[in-house]
PDB file of all heavy atoms in Angstrom:
ATOM      1  N   LEU A 332      -5.132 -20.989  -3.447  1.00  0.00           N
ATOM      2  CA  LEU A 332      -4.009 -21.380  -2.584  1.00  0.00           C
ATOM      3  C   LEU A 332      -2.981 -22.210  -3.339  1.00  0.00           C
ATOM      4  O   LEU A 332      -1.857 -22.398  -2.870  1.00  0.00           O
ATOM      5  CB  LEU A 332      -4.516 -22.183  -1.385  1.00  0.00           C
ATOM      6  CG  LEU A 332      -5.151 -21.369  -0.255  1.00  0.00           C
ATOM      7  CD1 LEU A 332      -5.699 -22.288   0.811  1.00  0.00           C
ATOM      8  CD2 LEU A 332      -4.142 -20.411   0.357  1.00  0.00           C
ATOM      9  N   PHE A 333      -3.353 -22.697  -4.530  1.00  0.00           N
ATOM     10  CA  PHE A 333      -2.458 -23.571  -5.271  1.00  0.00           C
ATOM     11  C   PHE A 333      -1.815 -22.892  -6.462  1.00  0.00           C
ATOM     12  O   PHE A 333      -0.955 -23.464  -7.114  1.00  0.00           O
ATOM     13  CB  PHE A 333      -3.221 -24.821  -5.742  1.00  0.00           C
ATOM     14  CG  PHE A 333      -3.721 -25.638  -4.600  1.00  0.00           C
ATOM     15  CD1 PHE A 333      -4.999 -25.456  -4.104  1.00  0.00           C
ATOM     16  CD2 PHE A 333      -2.902 -26.564  -3.970  1.00  0.00           C
ATOM     17  CE1 PHE A 333      -5.459 -26.192  -3.032  1.00  0.00           C
ATOM     18  CE2 PHE A 333      -3.348 -27.308  -2.901  1.00  0.00           C
ATOM     19  CZ  PHE A 333      -4.628 -27.122  -2.426  1.00  0.00           C
ATOM     20  N   SER A 334      -2.185 -21.641  -6.749  1.00  0.00           N
ATOM     21  CA  SER A 334      -1.661 -20.965  -7.940  1.00  0.00           C
ATOM     22  C   SER A 334      -0.158 -20.757  -7.856  1.00  0.00           C
ATOM     23  O   SER A 334       0.545 -20.789  -8.860  1.00  0.00           O
ATOM     24  CB  SER A 334      -2.362 -19.630  -8.154  1.00  0.00           C
ATOM     25  OG  SER A 334      -2.128 -18.770  -7.063  1.00  0.00           O
ATOM     26  N   GLU A 335       0.366 -20.519  -6.648  1.00  0.00           N
ATOM     27  CA  GLU A 335       1.789 -20.244  -6.498  1.00  0.00           C
ATOM     28  C   GLU A 335       2.645 -21.486  -6.780  1.00  0.00           C
ATOM     29  O   GLU A 335       3.838 -21.390  -6.993  1.00  0.00           O
ATOM     30  CB  GLU A 335       2.086 -19.754  -5.072  1.00  0.00           C
ATOM     31  CG  GLU A 335       1.401 -18.448  -4.717  1.00  0.00           C
ATOM     32  CD  GLU A 335       1.933 -17.272  -5.515  1.00  0.00           C
ATOM     33  OE1 GLU A 335       3.144 -17.212  -5.759  1.00  0.00           O
ATOM     34  OE2 GLU A 335       1.122 -16.425  -5.907  1.00  0.00           O
ATOM     35  N   PHE A 336       2.023 -22.667  -6.784  1.00  0.00           N
ATOM     36  CA  PHE A 336       2.788 -23.888  -6.976  1.00  0.00           C
ATOM     37  C   PHE A 336       2.816 -24.328  -8.442  1.00  0.00           C
ATOM     38  O   PHE A 336       3.471 -25.289  -8.780  1.00  0.00           O
ATOM     39  CB  PHE A 336       2.196 -25.020  -6.118  1.00  0.00           C
ATOM     40  CG  PHE A 336       2.188 -24.697  -4.653  1.00  0.00           C
ATOM     41  CD1 PHE A 336       1.046 -24.191  -4.053  1.00  0.00           C
ATOM     42  CD2 PHE A 336       3.321 -24.869  -3.885  1.00  0.00           C
ATOM     43  CE1 PHE A 336       1.034 -23.883  -2.703  1.00  0.00           C
ATOM     44  CE2 PHE A 336       3.312 -24.559  -2.524  1.00  0.00           C
ATOM     45  CZ  PHE A 336       2.173 -24.065  -1.941  1.00  0.00           C
ATOM     46  N   LYS A 337       2.072 -23.633  -9.295  1.00  0.00           N
ATOM     47  CA  LYS A 337       2.025 -24.011 -10.697  1.00  0.00           C
ATOM     48  C   LYS A 337       3.362 -23.720 -11.374  1.00  0.00           C
ATOM     49  O   LYS A 337       4.043 -22.770 -11.048  1.00  0.00           O
ATOM     50  CB  LYS A 337       0.906 -23.243 -11.413  1.00  0.00           C
ATOM     51  CG  LYS A 337      -0.495 -23.594 -10.916  1.00  0.00           C
ATOM     52  CD  LYS A 337      -1.531 -22.710 -11.583  1.00  0.00           C
ATOM     53  CE  LYS A 337      -2.917 -22.972 -11.031  1.00  0.00           C
ATOM     54  NZ  LYS A 337      -3.923 -22.045 -11.575  1.00  0.00           N
ATOM     55  N   GLU A 338       3.693 -24.549 -12.331  1.00  0.00           N
ATOM     56  CA  GLU A 338       4.930 -24.347 -13.098  1.00  0.00           C
ATOM     57  C   GLU A 338       4.569 -24.149 -14.559  1.00  0.00           C
ATOM     58  O   GLU A 338       3.746 -24.872 -15.107  1.00  0.00           O
ATOM     59  CB  GLU A 338       5.849 -25.569 -12.946  1.00  0.00           C
ATOM     60  CG  GLU A 338       6.375 -25.758 -11.545  1.00  0.00           C
ATOM     61  CD  GLU A 338       7.354 -24.680 -11.111  1.00  0.00           C
ATOM     62  OE1 GLU A 338       7.857 -23.949 -11.995  1.00  0.00           O
ATOM     63  OE2 GLU A 338       7.602 -24.549  -9.913  1.00  0.00           O
ATOM     64  N   PRO A 339       5.206 -23.191 -15.275  1.00  0.00           N
ATOM     65  CA  PRO A 339       6.116 -22.222 -14.674  1.00  0.00           C
ATOM     66  C   PRO A 339       5.355 -21.061 -14.032  1.00  0.00           C
ATOM     67  O   PRO A 339       4.249 -20.758 -14.445  1.00  0.00           O
ATOM     68  CB  PRO A 339       6.926 -21.737 -15.886  1.00  0.00           C
ATOM     69  CG  PRO A 339       5.955 -21.821 -17.026  1.00  0.00           C
ATOM     70  CD  PRO A 339       5.087 -23.024 -16.741  1.00  0.00           C
ATOM     71  N   VAL A 340       5.951 -20.443 -13.050  1.00  0.00           N
ATOM     72  CA  VAL A 340       5.360 -19.250 -12.451  1.00  0.00           C
ATOM     73  C   VAL A 340       5.667 -18.060 -13.365  1.00  0.00           C
ATOM     74  O   VAL A 340       6.823 -17.805 -13.680  1.00  0.00           O
ATOM     75  CB  VAL A 340       5.913 -18.990 -11.035  1.00  0.00           C
ATOM     76  CG1 VAL A 340       5.352 -17.692 -10.478  1.00  0.00           C
ATOM     77  CG2 VAL A 340       5.569 -20.150 -10.122  1.00  0.00           C
ATOM     78  N   LEU A 341       4.651 -17.368 -13.810  1.00  0.00           N
ATOM     79  CA  LEU A 341       4.861 -16.255 -14.734  1.00  0.00           C
ATOM     80  C   LEU A 341       5.543 -15.095 -14.016  1.00  0.00           C
ATOM     81  O   LEU A 341       5.071 -14.641 -12.981  1.00  0.00           O
ATOM     82  CB  LEU A 341       3.526 -15.787 -15.313  1.00  0.00           C
ATOM     83  CG  LEU A 341       2.793 -16.814 -16.193  1.00  0.00           C
ATOM     84  CD1 LEU A 341       1.444 -16.257 -16.629  1.00  0.00           C
ATOM     85  CD2 LEU A 341       3.624 -17.197 -17.404  1.00  0.00           C
ATOM     86  N   PRO A 342       6.664 -14.587 -14.532  1.00  0.00           N
ATOM     87  CA  PRO A 342       7.407 -13.538 -13.840  1.00  0.00           C
ATOM     88  C   PRO A 342       6.739 -12.166 -13.949  1.00  0.00           C
ATOM     89  O   PRO A 342       6.993 -11.301 -13.141  1.00  0.00           O
ATOM     90  CB  PRO A 342       8.761 -13.535 -14.566  1.00  0.00           C
ATOM     91  CG  PRO A 342       8.452 -14.066 -15.932  1.00  0.00           C
ATOM     92  CD  PRO A 342       7.346 -15.045 -15.751  1.00  0.00           C
ATOM     93  N   ASN A 343       5.894 -11.976 -14.935  1.00  0.00           N
ATOM     94  CA  ASN A 343       5.278 -10.662 -15.117  1.00  0.00           C
ATOM     95  C   ASN A 343       3.753 -10.780 -15.089  1.00  0.00           C
ATOM     96  O   ASN A 343       3.069 -10.545 -16.080  1.00  0.00           O
ATOM     97  CB  ASN A 343       5.737 -10.030 -16.438  1.00  0.00           C
ATOM     98  CG  ASN A 343       7.192  -9.622 -16.384  1.00  0.00           C
ATOM     99  OD1 ASN A 343       7.598  -8.919 -15.471  1.00  0.00           O
ATOM    100  ND2 ASN A 343       7.980 -10.079 -17.330  1.00  0.00           N
ATOM    101  N   ASN A 344       3.230 -11.183 -13.968  1.00  0.00           N
ATOM    102  CA  ASN A 344       1.791 -11.378 -13.857  1.00  0.00           C
ATOM    103  C   ASN A 344       1.064 -10.046 -13.965  1.00  0.00           C
ATOM    104  O   ASN A 344       1.414  -9.079 -13.299  1.00  0.00           O
ATOM    105  CB  ASN A 344       1.470 -12.033 -12.507  1.00  0.00           C
ATOM    106  CG  ASN A 344       0.116 -12.715 -12.531  1.00  0.00           C
ATOM    107  OD1 ASN A 344      -0.755 -12.355 -13.310  1.00  0.00           O
ATOM    108  ND2 ASN A 344      -0.046 -13.695 -11.674  1.00  0.00           N
ATOM    109  N   ILE A 345       0.068  -9.989 -14.818  1.00  0.00           N
ATOM    110  CA  ILE A 345      -0.663  -8.738 -15.038  1.00  0.00           C
ATOM    111  C   ILE A 345      -1.946  -8.677 -14.227  1.00  0.00           C
ATOM    112  O   ILE A 345      -2.699  -7.713 -14.333  1.00  0.00           O
ATOM    113  CB  ILE A 345      -0.975  -8.529 -16.538  1.00  0.00           C
ATOM    114  CG1 ILE A 345      -1.868  -9.661 -17.063  1.00  0.00           C
ATOM    115  CG2 ILE A 345       0.311  -8.439 -17.340  1.00  0.00           C
ATOM    116  CD1 ILE A 345      -2.383  -9.423 -18.471  1.00  0.00           C
ATOM    117  N   TYR A 346      -2.208  -9.714 -13.427  1.00  0.00           N
ATOM    118  CA  TYR A 346      -3.450  -9.759 -12.670  1.00  0.00           C
ATOM    119  C   TYR A 346      -3.185  -9.567 -11.171  1.00  0.00           C
ATOM    120  O   TYR A 346      -2.193 -10.043 -10.637  1.00  0.00           O
ATOM    121  CB  TYR A 346      -4.174 -11.090 -12.891  1.00  0.00           C
ATOM    122  CG  TYR A 346      -4.528 -11.332 -14.336  1.00  0.00           C
ATOM    123  CD1 TYR A 346      -3.842 -12.275 -15.091  1.00  0.00           C
ATOM    124  CD2 TYR A 346      -5.539 -10.595 -14.948  1.00  0.00           C
ATOM    125  CE1 TYR A 346      -4.153 -12.490 -16.426  1.00  0.00           C
ATOM    126  CE2 TYR A 346      -5.860 -10.799 -16.274  1.00  0.00           C
ATOM    127  CZ  TYR A 346      -5.165 -11.747 -17.009  1.00  0.00           C
ATOM    128  OH  TYR A 346      -5.474 -11.941 -18.330  1.00  0.00           O
ATOM    129  N   ILE A 347      -4.117  -8.867 -10.500  1.00  0.00           N
ATOM    130  CA  ILE A 347      -4.065  -8.694  -9.046  1.00  0.00           C
ATOM    131  C   ILE A 347      -5.407  -9.161  -8.488  1.00  0.00           C
ATOM    132  O   ILE A 347      -6.468  -8.742  -8.976  1.00  0.00           O
ATOM    133  CB  ILE A 347      -3.816  -7.225  -8.646  1.00  0.00           C
ATOM    134  CG1 ILE A 347      -2.600  -6.650  -9.379  1.00  0.00           C
ATOM    135  CG2 ILE A 347      -3.585  -7.121  -7.143  1.00  0.00           C
ATOM    136  CD1 ILE A 347      -2.342  -5.192  -9.051  1.00  0.00           C
ATOM    137  N   TYR A 348      -5.358 -10.024  -7.475  1.00  0.00           N
ATOM    138  CA  TYR A 348      -6.571 -10.608  -6.905  1.00  0.00           C
ATOM    139  C   TYR A 348      -6.804 -10.079  -5.485  1.00  0.00           C
ATOM    140  O   TYR A 348      -5.863  -9.884  -4.721  1.00  0.00           O
ATOM    141  CB  TYR A 348      -6.462 -12.131  -6.864  1.00  0.00           C
ATOM    142  CG  TYR A 348      -6.380 -12.774  -8.224  1.00  0.00           C
ATOM    143  CD1 TYR A 348      -5.156 -12.963  -8.853  1.00  0.00           C
ATOM    144  CD2 TYR A 348      -7.538 -13.190  -8.884  1.00  0.00           C
ATOM    145  CE1 TYR A 348      -5.074 -13.559 -10.112  1.00  0.00           C
ATOM    146  CE2 TYR A 348      -7.471 -13.778 -10.137  1.00  0.00           C
ATOM    147  CZ  TYR A 348      -6.235 -13.957 -10.752  1.00  0.00           C
ATOM    148  OH  TYR A 348      -6.163 -14.532 -11.988  1.00  0.00           O
ATOM    149  N   PHE A 349      -8.093  -9.896  -5.158  1.00  0.00           N
ATOM    150  CA  PHE A 349      -8.470  -9.413  -3.832  1.00  0.00           C
ATOM    151  C   PHE A 349      -9.655 -10.228  -3.311  1.00  0.00           C
ATOM    152  O   PHE A 349     -10.638 -10.426  -4.024  1.00  0.00           O
ATOM    153  CB  PHE A 349      -8.886  -7.941  -3.870  1.00  0.00           C
ATOM    154  CG  PHE A 349      -7.808  -7.009  -4.330  1.00  0.00           C
ATOM    155  CD1 PHE A 349      -7.695  -6.670  -5.676  1.00  0.00           C
ATOM    156  CD2 PHE A 349      -6.905  -6.453  -3.438  1.00  0.00           C
ATOM    157  CE1 PHE A 349      -6.705  -5.804  -6.115  1.00  0.00           C
ATOM    158  CE2 PHE A 349      -5.909  -5.592  -3.868  1.00  0.00           C
ATOM    159  CZ  PHE A 349      -5.807  -5.273  -5.213  1.00  0.00           C
ATOM    160  N   LEU A 350      -9.553 -10.681  -2.071  1.00  0.00           N
ATOM    161  CA  LEU A 350     -10.698 -11.255  -1.365  1.00  0.00           C
ATOM    162  C   LEU A 350     -11.322 -10.136  -0.544  1.00  0.00           C
ATOM    163  O   LEU A 350     -10.694  -9.617   0.378  1.00  0.00           O
ATOM    164  CB  LEU A 350     -10.248 -12.391  -0.446  1.00  0.00           C
ATOM    165  CG  LEU A 350      -9.933 -13.735  -1.108  1.00  0.00           C
ATOM    166  CD1 LEU A 350      -9.217 -14.647  -0.121  1.00  0.00           C
ATOM    167  CD2 LEU A 350     -11.204 -14.401  -1.616  1.00  0.00           C
ATOM    168  N   ILE A 351     -12.554  -9.760  -0.882  1.00  0.00           N
ATOM    169  CA  ILE A 351     -13.174  -8.582  -0.256  1.00  0.00           C
ATOM    170  C   ILE A 351     -14.552  -8.937   0.276  1.00  0.00           C
ATOM    171  O   ILE A 351     -15.394  -9.475  -0.443  1.00  0.00           O
ATOM    172  CB  ILE A 351     -13.262  -7.417  -1.260  1.00  0.00           C
ATOM    173  CG1 ILE A 351     -11.842  -6.992  -1.690  1.00  0.00           C
ATOM    174  CG2 ILE A 351     -14.010  -6.230  -0.652  1.00  0.00           C
ATOM    175  CD1 ILE A 351     -11.810  -5.906  -2.738  1.00  0.00           C
ATOM    176  N   LYS A 352     -14.744  -8.613   1.547  1.00  0.00           N
ATOM    177  CA  LYS A 352     -16.055  -8.811   2.163  1.00  0.00           C
ATOM    178  C   LYS A 352     -16.950  -7.629   1.818  1.00  0.00           C
ATOM    179  O   LYS A 352     -16.558  -6.471   1.964  1.00  0.00           O
ATOM    180  CB  LYS A 352     -15.911  -8.942   3.686  1.00  0.00           C
ATOM    181  CG  LYS A 352     -17.229  -9.204   4.406  1.00  0.00           C
ATOM    182  CD  LYS A 352     -16.989  -9.451   5.888  1.00  0.00           C
ATOM    183  CE  LYS A 352     -18.305  -9.705   6.613  1.00  0.00           C
ATOM    184  NZ  LYS A 352     -18.089 -10.002   8.053  1.00  0.00           N
ATOM    185  N   ILE A 353     -18.160  -7.925   1.353  1.00  0.00           N
ATOM    186  CA  ILE A 353     -19.114  -6.877   0.972  1.00  0.00           C
ATOM    187  C   ILE A 353     -20.005  -6.553   2.169  1.00  0.00           C
ATOM    188  O   ILE A 353     -20.701  -7.428   2.685  1.00  0.00           O
ATOM    189  CB  ILE A 353     -19.985  -7.317  -0.223  1.00  0.00           C
ATOM    190  CG1 ILE A 353     -19.105  -7.823  -1.374  1.00  0.00           C
ATOM    191  CG2 ILE A 353     -20.880  -6.170  -0.673  1.00  0.00           C
ATOM    192  CD1 ILE A 353     -18.130  -6.798  -1.910  1.00  0.00           C
ATOM    193  N   TYR A 354     -19.945  -5.301   2.610  1.00  0.00           N
ATOM    194  CA  TYR A 354     -20.800  -4.839   3.708  1.00  0.00           C
ATOM    195  C   TYR A 354     -21.996  -4.105   3.107  1.00  0.00           C
ATOM    196  O   TYR A 354     -21.844  -3.003   2.578  1.00  0.00           O
ATOM    197  CB  TYR A 354     -20.019  -3.899   4.635  1.00  0.00           C
ATOM    198  CG  TYR A 354     -18.884  -4.566   5.368  1.00  0.00           C
ATOM    199  CD1 TYR A 354     -17.600  -4.638   4.806  1.00  0.00           C
ATOM    200  CD2 TYR A 354     -19.091  -5.133   6.625  1.00  0.00           C
ATOM    201  CE1 TYR A 354     -16.564  -5.259   5.485  1.00  0.00           C
ATOM    202  CE2 TYR A 354     -18.045  -5.757   7.313  1.00  0.00           C
ATOM    203  CZ  TYR A 354     -16.788  -5.804   6.734  1.00  0.00           C
ATOM    204  OH  TYR A 354     -15.761  -6.424   7.406  1.00  0.00           O
ATOM    205  N   PRO A 355     -23.210  -4.676   3.164  1.00  0.00           N
ATOM    206  CA  PRO A 355     -24.372  -4.051   2.506  1.00  0.00           C
ATOM    207  C   PRO A 355     -24.631  -2.621   2.949  1.00  0.00           C
ATOM    208  O   PRO A 355     -25.067  -1.787   2.150  1.00  0.00           O
ATOM    209  CB  PRO A 355     -25.532  -4.974   2.905  1.00  0.00           C
ATOM    210  CG  PRO A 355     -24.886  -6.292   3.203  1.00  0.00           C
ATOM    211  CD  PRO A 355     -23.538  -5.971   3.786  1.00  0.00           C
ATOM    212  N   ALA A 356     -24.359  -2.314   4.219  1.00  0.00           N
ATOM    213  CA  ALA A 356     -24.584  -0.957   4.721  1.00  0.00           C
ATOM    214  C   ALA A 356     -23.337  -0.101   4.614  1.00  0.00           C
ATOM    215  O   ALA A 356     -23.310   1.034   5.096  1.00  0.00           O
ATOM    216  CB  ALA A 356     -25.060  -1.012   6.179  1.00  0.00           C
ATOM    217  N   GLY A 357     -22.292  -0.619   4.005  1.00  0.00           N
ATOM    218  CA  GLY A 357     -21.051   0.129   3.887  1.00  0.00           C
ATOM    219  C   GLY A 357     -21.115   1.177   2.795  1.00  0.00           C
ATOM    220  O   GLY A 357     -22.102   1.292   2.060  1.00  0.00           O
ATOM    221  N   PHE A 358     -20.049   1.913   2.662  1.00  0.00           N
ATOM    222  CA  PHE A 358     -19.989   3.006   1.688  1.00  0.00           C
ATOM    223  C   PHE A 358     -19.189   2.604   0.461  1.00  0.00           C
ATOM    224  O   PHE A 358     -19.546   2.927  -0.665  1.00  0.00           O
ATOM    225  CB  PHE A 358     -19.353   4.239   2.344  1.00  0.00           C
ATOM    226  CG  PHE A 358     -19.601   5.527   1.612  1.00  0.00           C
ATOM    227  CD1 PHE A 358     -20.808   6.189   1.730  1.00  0.00           C
ATOM    228  CD2 PHE A 358     -18.623   6.076   0.793  1.00  0.00           C
ATOM    229  CE1 PHE A 358     -21.032   7.380   1.051  1.00  0.00           C
ATOM    230  CE2 PHE A 358     -18.841   7.263   0.115  1.00  0.00           C
ATOM    231  CZ  PHE A 358     -20.046   7.915   0.244  1.00  0.00           C
ATOM    232  N   PHE A 359     -18.107   1.849   0.667  1.00  0.00           N
ATOM    233  CA  PHE A 359     -17.186   1.538  -0.431  1.00  0.00           C
ATOM    234  C   PHE A 359     -17.494   0.201  -1.102  1.00  0.00           C
ATOM    235  O   PHE A 359     -17.607   0.121  -2.326  1.00  0.00           O
ATOM    236  CB  PHE A 359     -15.750   1.539   0.096  1.00  0.00           C
ATOM    237  CG  PHE A 359     -14.702   1.388  -0.975  1.00  0.00           C
ATOM    238  CD1 PHE A 359     -14.230   2.495  -1.656  1.00  0.00           C
ATOM    239  CD2 PHE A 359     -14.181   0.147  -1.291  1.00  0.00           C
ATOM    240  CE1 PHE A 359     -13.261   2.372  -2.646  1.00  0.00           C
ATOM    241  CE2 PHE A 359     -13.207   0.007  -2.265  1.00  0.00           C
ATOM    242  CZ  PHE A 359     -12.755   1.119  -2.952  1.00  0.00           C
ATOM    243  N   THR A 360     -17.627  -0.870  -0.298  1.00  0.00           N
ATOM    244  CA  THR A 360     -17.733  -2.197  -0.905  1.00  0.00           C
ATOM    245  C   THR A 360     -18.999  -2.399  -1.745  1.00  0.00           C
ATOM    246  O   THR A 360     -18.925  -3.089  -2.769  1.00  0.00           O
ATOM    247  CB  THR A 360     -17.622  -3.305   0.163  1.00  0.00           C
ATOM    248  OG1 THR A 360     -18.607  -3.100   1.181  1.00  0.00           O
ATOM    249  CG2 THR A 360     -16.226  -3.296   0.775  1.00  0.00           C
ATOM    250  N   PRO A 361     -20.176  -1.818  -1.404  1.00  0.00           N
ATOM    251  CA  PRO A 361     -21.312  -1.970  -2.318  1.00  0.00           C
ATOM    252  C   PRO A 361     -21.046  -1.345  -3.690  1.00  0.00           C
ATOM    253  O   PRO A 361     -21.464  -1.889  -4.715  1.00  0.00           O
ATOM    254  CB  PRO A 361     -22.453  -1.253  -1.583  1.00  0.00           C
ATOM    255  CG  PRO A 361     -22.079  -1.308  -0.147  1.00  0.00           C
ATOM    256  CD  PRO A 361     -20.593  -1.168  -0.137  1.00  0.00           C
TER     257      PRO A 361
END
Side-chain angles (χ1 to χ4, degrees):
L332 282 176
F333 297 93
S334 62
E335 297 293 322
F336 301 97
K337 295 175 184 175
E338 294 292 344
V340 176
L341 295 176
N343 290 308
N344 201 335
I345 62 172
Y346 300 107
I347 308 178
Y348 295 88
F349 299 92
L350 283 168
I351 297 177
K352 182 175 180 178
I353 308 300
Y354 295 89
F358 197 79
F359 187 86
T360 55

